[in-house]
Amino acid sequence: MASAALNALNVRTGLTALRAADLRRGDLLALCVVDGIGAGVATVGGATGFIAANELVAVIDAIERALEPRWVCWSNDTAATLSRFGVRLARSWDLAAVHRLIAGGWRAEPARVWAVLHGLPVDEIPLPAEINLFTIERAAGDDIEDPIDRAGHLRAEWTATEWEWTPLRLAAWAGVAMRAATLQRDRVEALTGSRAAATARSESTAELLCAELSRTGLPVDRSVAEGIIGDLIGARPASQAAADEQRRARDGQVLQHTSTFVDADLRNPADVKSLLRSVGVEVPDTRAWRLEAMRDQHPLVDALLTWRKAERIATTFGYAWLDQHLGDDGRLRGEWSGCDGAAGRMTATAGLHNMPALMRDAVVAEPGHVFVRADLGQIEPRVLAAVSGDAALARATVDDDLYAPVAAALGVDRATAKVAVLGAMYGQTTGHGAQALRRLESAYPVAMGFLHDADVAGQGGRELRTYGGRLIRTGLGAAARQTESEARSGSAAQGRYARNAMVQGAAAELFKVWAVIVRARARALDAEIVMCLHDELLVHVPAEHGEAAAQLLRDCLAEAAHRWAPDAAVRFVAEVSIIERWSDAGH
């Protein structure tokens, strides 16, 4: 079957002298797609070719079934383009995702990826200019058909949005992508061995999931959403004047509780502090958690907290938000990325990752469907046990509630134990739980030593890599600070960031391994992932497959842990529920 597919591929893509031996099952295969034109393809062996637009779906489907390649793409834009034609890639090697793994940070455009791989100065990357007759004629003597310029950088014209793609150029561009992928593969294998290579593969496939999340969207009942918004801020305003009147009315609900500071701007923290002082409530700042603890001190505090919820809806998650992001098909869409440019968490636009809890009541499964929601339990301390190799902490993970055995070991209540563990990972060494934190160092010295070493490295501005190989940048930029106090503060902040990033980054890697396994297995149940929220998956599935999907999520977590975890003694758990609306799961 593979030979037949390759013979067809040879004819239909224009690949020259392609034999069955040139492409093995699971090999890398570069793919560069331009909507309306077609796609360039390139093999590891250096053969390149072109697939015409009208052949694209059939050829890619045939290759997927026969050879199961790992498609090399510059970014998840390729998968997003293909998804519009109903084409779904099973696996990929995403050059942008792997670059972020190797080099850290967010920027991963092709010219930067290429420059870093070849040791070229990134500040000398040629900038794309407006493509016109003059620039093309000027560059003609410099072989503009070669994607690489004389300095070794990717040619600026080839990275410009106005570039005129042809079949030959697309084939050449796929060849460049393949050259970059093989260099990246060598780099990650030399970096930290098989773990980094495995991370590169899972991070790349997570980008395919992100492309699908951007396209499919989250099911939202518009009428329910508008009802929630209306209850908080009133009916949809017919004009800007009506919106301004609603705003004044919201403010009035707070300002009615004072007679001495009625002109306060509730959107200015300094004014809010003065407003609170006028009724005898002194606060160092106006953070929500601080005001929440003082809610009963004066009606003004309660009114202010209620106002904040309404104001957030009005300004960020109101009618305009629905109009912009909720389609006529009842799906709320944003743009997804598999990495935030820091520790490696998935990100999404359109407020998908910070939607107010009350809006989750509007996230409703479509008729005949349910949601299966799975939330990883205490994932970061469990990951800490795994990556640090602390046997004592690993034993605590056997419990469904990790904090119970930790509390017993420390001789404190569960709440204090939780604060201490989280404080250790976030660098909080004072306040509630500080005494228990010192006991942690005695009970779990290996885990605490792991965090301490990361802290020291961060304070010294040294780069770190997560268990999966992601670069964590901790440069201090000390020259920009003016005083010794600022230098000490900045150093301490970098230490706290480093210790957290080493755990949070590894947790993000495990989460994405889990998510991509679910993505692969869920197709058999006609299920789709519609939300990835930090440590939580929300899967939309036909109701008759709800129980099977719930078990699938559990099984996939066990498989992910087996593939990822460096210590089989660490147990990972998830709370799984079958629900009709997101809010039914509780928080």
Side-chain angles (χ1 to χ4, degrees):
M1 182 177 179
S3 296
L6 283 170
N7 289 333
L9 176 65
N10 188 20
V11 173
R12 299 170 77 175
T13 69
L15 285 166
T16 58
L18 185 66
R19 301 164 301 166
D22 293 326
L23 188 63
R24 297 167 299 176
R25 183 178 295 275
D27 264 356
L28 296 178
L29 183 62
L31 181 68
C32 298
V33 180
V34 173
D35 195 359
I37 298 178
V41 290
T43 70
V44 174
T48 62
F50 172 76
I51 309 172
N54 63 341
E55 295 273 7
L56 198 58
V57 174
V59 171
I60 290 179
D61 181 62
I63 296 172
E64 277 276 13
R65 287 185 284 106
L67 300 169
E68 299 179 339
R70 187 168 295 279
W71 299 95
V72 173
C73 307
W74 282 109
S75 71
N76 68 17
D77 287 345
T78 298
T81 299
L82 290 173
S83 70
R84 295 199 289 271
F85 307 109
V87 176
R88 181 182 186 272
L89 305 181
R91 303 183 301 169
S92 79
W93 184 278
D94 188 289
L95 294 166
V98 179
H99 175 82
R100 293 180 183 120
L101 176 71
I102 296 171
W106 168 253
R107 294 190 61 183
E109 60 273 21
R112 180 175 292 266
V113 171
W114 183 264
V116 170
L117 286 171
H118 291 82
L120 301 171
V122 294
D123 57 355
E124 295 180 11
I125 293 173
L127 299 176
E130 181 181 354
I131 301 300
N132 53 43
L133 181 61
F134 173 76
T135 58
I136 292 176
E137 287 180 346
R138 180 172 58 82
D142 193 25
D143 193 8
I144 198 171
E145 295 304 321
D146 186 347
I148 314 301
D149 69 16
R150 291 178 179 178
H153 286 284
L154 294 187
R155 193 175 296 282
E157 290 84 357
W158 283 68
T159 60
T161 56
E162 303 88 353
W163 185 234
E164 183 177 344
W165 290 104
T166 66
L168 285 177
R169 287 174 176 175
L170 269 173
W173 193 235
V176 172
M178 179 58 75
R179 290 161 63 185
T182 54
L183 287 171
Q184 283 188 342
R185 185 177 58 183
D186 292 344
R187 187 74 58 87
V188 297
E189 288 176 353
L191 191 62
T192 52
S194 60
R195 183 67 255 155
T199 304
R201 292 190 292 269
S202 60
E203 294 283 323
S204 295
T205 305
E207 293 294 345
L208 298 180
L209 172 59
C210 285
E212 291 162 7
L213 286 165
S214 299
R215 179 182 62 84
T216 58
L218 180 69
V220 169
D221 187 312
R222 180 181 292 273
S223 62
V224 175
E226 290 185 340
I228 294 169
I229 296 169
D231 288 344
L232 280 170
I233 66 173
R236 182 187 287 266
S239 64
Q240 185 57 50
D244 292 342
E245 179 57 35
Q246 286 183 341
R247 172 178 163 138
R248 285 190 292 270
R250 287 197 303 275
D251 292 0
Q253 294 297 311
V254 178
L255 298 176
Q256 67 177 335
H257 294 287
T258 178
S259 59
T260 58
F261 206 61
V262 293
D263 294 327
D265 180 358
L266 300 181
R267 296 150 193 89
N268 184 326
D271 276 14
V272 172
K273 285 179 67 175
S274 298
L275 178 63
L276 290 167
R277 188 178 302 115
S278 73
V279 295
V281 177
E282 291 285 348
V283 291
D285 57 64
T286 61
R287 295 173 182 170
W289 64 267
R290 192 181 303 280
L291 294 181
E292 191 66 47
M294 309 176 75
R295 185 186 285 271
D296 296 332
Q297 289 196 16
H298 193 280
L300 175 64
V301 181
D302 180 73
L304 184 60
L305 288 168
T306 300
W307 173 87
R308 282 186 171 177
K309 289 182 179 180
E311 183 69 7
R312 188 181 183 210
I313 292 294
T315 58
T316 308
F317 295 96
Y319 297 110
W321 171 68
L322 287 181
D323 294 343
Q324 182 178 357
H325 300 294
L326 184 58
D328 293 338
D329 60 353
R331 293 293 182 109
L332 185 72
R333 294 179 175 85
E335 294 298 318
W336 285 78
S337 171
C339 172
D340 60 6
R345 278 189 163 189
M346 297 177 73
T347 64
T349 63
L352 285 165
H353 268 182
N354 53 6
M355 186 187 301
L358 57 88
M359 292 302 300
R360 295 186 180 188
D361 201 44
V363 180
V364 183
E366 293 172 352
H369 289 71
V370 294
F371 290 128
V372 178
R373 182 236 188 200
D375 186 21
L376 295 178
Q378 303 149 349
I379 181 62
E380 290 184 348
R382 293 174 189 272
V383 163
L384 173 60
V387 299
S388 69
D390 192 308
L393 190 55
R395 285 193 293 273
T397 68
V398 175
D399 262 54
D400 287 347
D401 179 9
L402 171 145
Y403 295 120
V406 171
L410 302 184
V412 298
D413 60 47
R414 182 191 181 280
T416 301
K418 180 177 180 179
V419 170
V421 171
L422 296 177
M425 290 187 293
Y426 284 87
Q428 181 65 44
T429 57
T430 60
H432 182 57
Q435 183 176 357
L437 180 59
R438 288 188 287 274
R439 296 181 186 178
L440 275 175
E441 296 171 354
S442 175
Y444 307 108
V446 177
M448 295 304 106
F450 175 87
L451 294 174
H452 173 76
D453 291 347
D455 197 310
V456 171
Q459 290 195 45
R462 299 199 303 274
E463 292 179 340
L464 293 164
R465 287 196 180 272
T466 64
Y467 167 68
R470 182 177 302 281
L471 181 68
I472 302 297
R473 294 177 177 175
T474 60
L476 296 174
R481 289 190 294 273
Q482 301 297 313
T483 69
E484 182 179 349
S485 174
E486 290 172 338
R488 286 197 302 270
S489 176
S491 175
Q494 287 292 344
R496 290 192 297 272
Y497 168 72
R499 67 164 60 209
N500 179 245
M502 290 294 285
V503 178
Q504 187 184 97
E509 290 156 7
L510 170 59
F511 176 82
K512 280 179 272 189
V513 172
W514 181 41
V516 299
I517 294 174
V518 171
R519 171 185 181 264
R521 307 281 189 269
R523 295 193 74 187
L525 300 176
D526 196 23
E528 61 182 0
I529 298 173
V530 292
M531 173 62 77
C532 296
L533 181 63
H534 306 315
D535 311 323
E536 178 182 351
L537 283 179
L538 194 65
V539 176
H540 192 243
V541 60
E544 64 268 24
H545 297 320
E547 291 289 349
Q551 186 58 47
L552 176 74
L553 286 165
R554 298 185 187 96
D555 293 342
C556 288
L557 176 58
E559 182 178 346
H562 176 72
R563 291 188 184 187
W564 177 88
D567 186 350
V570 175
R571 178 171 176 253
F572 294 93
V573 300
E575 179 185 341
V576 182
S577 54
I578 301 171
I579 53 181
E580 292 186 359
R581 62 185 67 222
W582 196 4
S583 58
D584 292 343
H587 306 289

